[in-house]
């Protein structure tokens, strides 16, 4: 049995709905379908989810949100009518409209998935199952046991169902949103609950590219990668798959196929527990993010000075800043965060560390990017890291830091924002041009 999730671009209009139906009907094993809210199309430059967020903003500032709501309503009615469906979507739209004045954020923003799934279920002739009936969250943690129990009582083993992605409910039965891109998570969770043989993630690209195609126009497609590699690449910025969607499938070793709704005949990317040795490349993928800051602190034998470290972390806790990485040494410690996470508190944090923590030095670096090279070969062949460092050094790209985590599948370079694209391009070009030489050298 397969669980298939279709992203916003795959359900943007009636023509995309027809492509989804052809895919689903092309294989009887596709019994559980998850959909995102209708996304962008040639005629609709704004995603439904973004329009719903706009409605909330207009409502909260006392402005007229009805024109925006009416636009959303016309869009769903048009899809219904163009497909010749009979579902009374106007009734659902009327209920949502009546709720806007008092609706909370999670309820309002989730309605795009709800309406899209209603139409898709009718179009496919499948049972519509609202995610609020079985996707249960206990605080911010998903309750697999209770959710599985509820799902079994709703759908029989042979049921063909359509489920809206992106949301569930909390223990008080209030709508609970997942992070943006959460329909990926919904699909992975549903695959887990149903013990699927395969989780298909249908989007508008034919798999995952080795590097950002906006930087490398003809980037090589990754045919296979591991769950861990996908998780690291997703965390570092590839937008094809949501990072938190990996774990539910990984837990039950359910393969993930990332495929293209517009070109279902093309091979995509398969995510598995272990890549075939003959298919393994020295570098699986390259990803990154811009606009980081690094706060570096130093003190003689800092790693042994728990009194000072406790002061440092008390300051960090006081400012409630989320850091992505915390590399450390005997005498030093670094805090790496997105500039947006530090916001306007950066100078205040530096002053507090300088004045309150008895440190020898506090250093701040701004406008940095993190570029990650991901491969399960890194731990097996340590010389790869050295080869890449030599190559960047020869390219006169200044490396501000290097991080290799204990997982041994990700190597991170800190470079100036202005060198971000250049760094990715240099690594990609050189790795692909010299891969045979690298294999021989190692």
């Amino acid at each position: 049995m397969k669980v298939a999730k279709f992203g916003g671009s795959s359900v943007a209009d009636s023509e995309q709905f027809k492509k989804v139906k052809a895919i689903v009907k092309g294989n009887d094993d596709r019994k559980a379908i998850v959909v995102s809210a209708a996304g962008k199309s040639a005629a609709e430059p704004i995603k439904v989810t973004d329009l719903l967020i706009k409605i909330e903003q207009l409502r909260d500032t006392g402005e007229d949100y009805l024109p925006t709501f009416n636009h959303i309503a016309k869009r769903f009615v048009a899809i219904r009518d163009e497909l010749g469906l009979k579902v009374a979507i106007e009734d659902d739209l009327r209920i949502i409209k009546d709720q806007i004045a008092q609706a909370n954020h999670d309820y309002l923003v989730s309605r795009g998935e709800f309406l899209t799934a209603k139409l898709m279920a009718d179009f496919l002739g499948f049972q519509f199952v609202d995610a609020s009936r079985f996707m249960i969250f206990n605080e911010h943690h998903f309750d697999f046991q209770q959710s599985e129990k509820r799902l079994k009582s709703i759908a029989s083993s042979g049921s063909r169902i359509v489920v809206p992605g992106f949301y569930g409910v909390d223990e008080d039965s209030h709508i609970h949103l997942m992070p943006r891109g959460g329909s990926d998570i919904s699909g992975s969770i549903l695959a887990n609950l149903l013990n699927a043989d395969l989780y298909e993630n249908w989007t508008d690209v034919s798999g995952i590219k080795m590097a950002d195609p906006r930087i490398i126009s003809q980037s090589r497609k990754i045919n296979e990668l591991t769950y861990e590699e996908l998780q690291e690449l997703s965390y570092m910025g590839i937008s094809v798959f949501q990072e938190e969607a990996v774990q539910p499938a990984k837990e039950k070793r359910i393969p993930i196929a990332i495929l293209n709704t517009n070109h279902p005949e093309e091979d995509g990317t398969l995510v598995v527990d272990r890549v075939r040795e003959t298919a393994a490349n020295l570098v699986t993928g390259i990803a990154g993010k811009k606009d980081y800051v690094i706060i570096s602190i130093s003190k003689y034998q800092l790693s042994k000075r728990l009194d000072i470290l406790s002061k440092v972390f008390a300051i960090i806790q006081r400012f409630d800043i989320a850091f992505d990485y915390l590399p450390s040494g005997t005498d030093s410690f670094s805090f790496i965060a997105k500039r947006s996470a530090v916001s306007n508190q950066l100078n205040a944090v530096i002053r507090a560390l300088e004045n309150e923590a008895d440190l020898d030095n506090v250093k701040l670096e701004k406008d940095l990017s993190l570029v990650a090279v991901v491969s399960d070969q890194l731990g097996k062949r340590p010389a790869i890291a050295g080869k890449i460092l030599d190559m960047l050094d020869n390219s006169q790209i200044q490396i501000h830091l290097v991080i290799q985590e204990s997982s041994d599948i990700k190597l991170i370079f800190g470079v100036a924002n202005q060198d971000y694209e250049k760094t990715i391009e240099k690594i990609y070009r050189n790795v692909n041009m010299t891969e045979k030489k690298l294999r021989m050298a190692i």
Side-chain angles (χ1 to χ4, degrees), residues 281-439:
N281 295 310
L282 293 180
V283 171
T284 300
I286 307 160
K289 300 177 186 176
K290 282 186 171 182
D291 299 319
Y292 277 88
V293 299
I294 302 177
I295 301 172
S296 300
I297 62 174
S298 61
K299 179 78 174 182
Y300 177 65
Q301 293 196 329
L302 180 62
S303 60
K304 298 179 181 179
R305 294 296 303 271
L306 297 182
D307 56 329
I308 293 178
L309 285 173
S310 65
K311 291 178 183 178
V312 168
F313 281 102
I315 292 168
I316 298 302
Q317 185 177 25
R318 189 167 82 217
F319 286 95
D320 192 26
I321 298 172
F323 289 96
D324 285 16
Y325 295 97
L326 303 172
S328 63
T330 302
D331 299 329
S332 63
F333 209 105
S334 295
F335 298 88
I336 304 175
K338 288 285 288 183
R339 182 68 178 84
S340 57
V342 183
S343 188
N344 297 321
Q345 302 181 97
L346 187 56
N347 290 334
V349 173
I350 297 297
R351 285 196 299 270
L353 289 169
E354 290 174 335
N355 298 330
E356 302 174 29
D358 190 26
L359 296 164
D360 291 341
N361 186 48
V362 179
K363 178 184 175 184
L364 172 65
E365 294 180 89
K366 300 179 183 179
D367 302 321
L368 295 178
S369 296
L370 299 184
V371 176
V373 174
V374 175
S375 173
D376 67 355
Q377 300 294 305
L378 286 171
K380 304 170 188 174
R381 305 178 183 184
I384 296 174
K387 293 286 183 182
I388 294 172
L389 277 168
D390 286 343
M391 176 266 295
L392 291 176
D393 186 51
N394 292 335
S395 301
Q396 297 184 329
I397 295 173
Q398 183 181 356
I399 305 299
H400 292 257
L401 81 156
V402 179
I403 305 171
Q404 185 161 12
E405 297 180 327
S406 57
S407 63
D408 280 337
I409 70 167
K410 181 171 67 174
L411 183 65
I412 299 173
F413 303 97
V415 300
N417 278 343
Q418 64 190 34
D419 288 331
Y420 174 73
E421 289 84 1
K422 180 182 177 183
T423 302
I424 290 177
E425 185 174 1
K426 287 292 182 184
I427 295 173
Y428 179 86
R429 301 292 182 202
N430 281 272
V431 164
N432 281 282
M433 287 171 56
T434 64
E435 191 158 289
K436 289 184 179 179
K437 293 181 181 178
L438 279 170
R439 287 185 183 278

Side-chain angles (χ1 to χ4, degrees), residues 35 65 71 108 110 175 230 257 390 399:
V35 296
Y65 55 76
H71 180 82
L108 185 57
S110 69
I175 296 295
L230 175 60
D390 286 343
I399 305 299

Side-chain angles (χ1 to χ4, degrees), residues 17 23 72 74 152 157 162 177-178 201 287 289 310 326 342-343 349 356 362 435:
F17 266 59
I23 290 168
I72 293 173
K74 288 178 182 177
K152 282 182 178 178
S157 58
V162 174
L177 278 188
M178 300 175 193
N201 192 282
K289 300 177 186 176
S310 65
L326 303 172
V342 183
S343 188
V349 173
E356 302 174 29
V362 179
E435 191 158 289

Side-chain angles (χ1 to χ4, degrees), residues 24-88:
V24 173
K25 297 298 184 179
N27 189 318
D28 288 340
D29 289 338
R30 296 185 178 110
K31 295 183 178 180
I33 309 302
V34 176
V35 296
S36 299
K40 295 180 183 179
S41 68
E44 295 286 350
I46 304 176
K47 300 175 182 179
V48 165
T49 298
D50 291 330
L51 290 173
L52 289 165
I53 292 171
K54 182 181 178 182
I55 286 175
E56 182 183 33
Q57 293 168 342
L58 291 170
R59 179 200 66 185
D60 292 347
T61 56
E63 299 176 70
D64 186 6
Y65 55 76
L66 284 179
T68 304
F69 176 80
N70 290 336
H71 180 82
I72 293 173
K74 288 178 182 177
R75 186 169 176 182
F76 281 108
V77 170
I79 293 173
R80 191 270 312 272
D81 292 346
E82 288 166 10
L83 295 175
L85 305 179
K86 302 300 182 184
V87 59

Side-chain angles (χ1 to χ4, degrees), residues 152-169:
K152 282 182 178 178
S153 69
I154 294 168
S156 65
S157 58
S159 295
R160 296 179 181 272
I161 62 175
V162 174
V163 178
F166 192 32
Y167 70 91
V169 291

